[in-house]
Amino acid sequence: ITHQIASTFIGVFLLIRIVLLAIGKGAESIKSFFDQGMKLQKVNELLAFYFTIGKRPLPNWHSKPALWSFIYLIMFVLMMLSLITGVLQTQQDMFFKWVLLDLHLLITEILLWTVSLHIITSILHDAKSENANISAMINGQRYLTIEERSNKEVPIKFKL
């Protein structure tokens, strides 16, 4: 019964996330996953950072790294497939030529590895970053590194 309760929570939260993808305005919207601009150039830098285990510099980004934007979408699809195969198992054993239990286990194993990799890389990002983006989620304290403006002579104007 714990499995059904957990899958219900995952289903509800996934549904909320899908709604936010559709109607969201900022980093939660589907547009932010594809509107990467200059971030796509930083994918190679980020991969170099990972493969050297943090010895190469960590590229700066706002919101989410371009590489992980793609992986997040894959994770959403895998979660949906996991839920669908789990529900279908109660009604049938096979889907085309796939045994549903085997398919469900394969999808959840891929999800487990992806989530584990996400946690490891998040810790690596926080350890090597000059900002406390990840640890702010844990302890509530965030600090930022502010770069000095190169155009100091231009006044800053705010509109309210």
Side-chain angles (χ1 to χ4, degrees):
I1 192 147
T2 307
H3 195 90
Q4 288 91 357
I5 293 171
S7 64
T8 302
F9 277 110
I10 290 171
V12 168
F13 291 125
L14 188 59
L15 182 64
I16 292 169
R17 188 62 181 105
I18 290 169
V19 168
L20 287 174
L21 283 172
I23 65 170
K25 302 266 189 266
E28 72 276 3
S29 74
I30 189 76
K31 183 180 174 187
S32 74
F33 285 87
F34 296 105
D35 186 20
Q36 296 295 324
M38 296 299 289
K39 283 196 227 176
L40 291 177
Q41 296 175 353
K42 295 190 178 192
V43 170
N44 287 340
E45 294 174 31
L46 190 57
L47 287 172
F49 173 77
Y50 289 150
F51 288 128
T52 61
I53 311 172
K55 289 182 178 43
R56 296 283 302 268
L58 176 65
N60 288 328
W61 70 86
H62 174 70
S63 181
K64 52 189 163 293
L67 176 67
W68 279 99
S69 293
F70 177 69
I71 295 172
Y72 293 152
L73 289 176
I74 290 173
M75 289 172 67
F76 295 147
V77 169
L78 288 172
M79 282 188 268
M80 283 191 297
L81 289 174
S82 177
L83 287 170
I84 291 168
T85 56
V87 169
L88 286 177
Q89 282 183 68
T90 61
Q91 299 165 5
Q92 61 192 42
D93 292 333
M94 301 285 287
F95 183 72
F96 292 104
K97 292 185 177 186
W98 287 84
V99 177
L100 278 173
L101 178 60
D102 293 343
L103 186 59
H104 186 70
L105 292 174
L106 175 67
I107 292 167
T108 53
E109 188 170 336
I110 293 169
L111 261 173
L112 174 69
W113 282 103
T114 309
V115 169
S116 300
L117 186 65
H118 179 58
I119 292 169
I120 291 166
T121 57
S122 295
I123 292 168
L124 183 61
H125 279 239
D126 204 48
K128 295 293 183 171
S129 174
E130 294 179 2
N131 302 324
N133 292 324
I134 287 86
S135 58
M137 292 182 235
I138 298 168
N139 64 20
Q141 302 208 2
R142 183 174 186 192
Y143 55 85
L144 301 170
T145 303
I146 300 172
E147 296 176 9
E148 196 170 321
R149 288 179 48 213
S150 60
N151 58 349
K152 292 180 189 175
E153 65 280 350
V154 178
I156 299 174
K157 297 179 181 179
F158 293 100
K159 291 184 180 182
L160 297 176

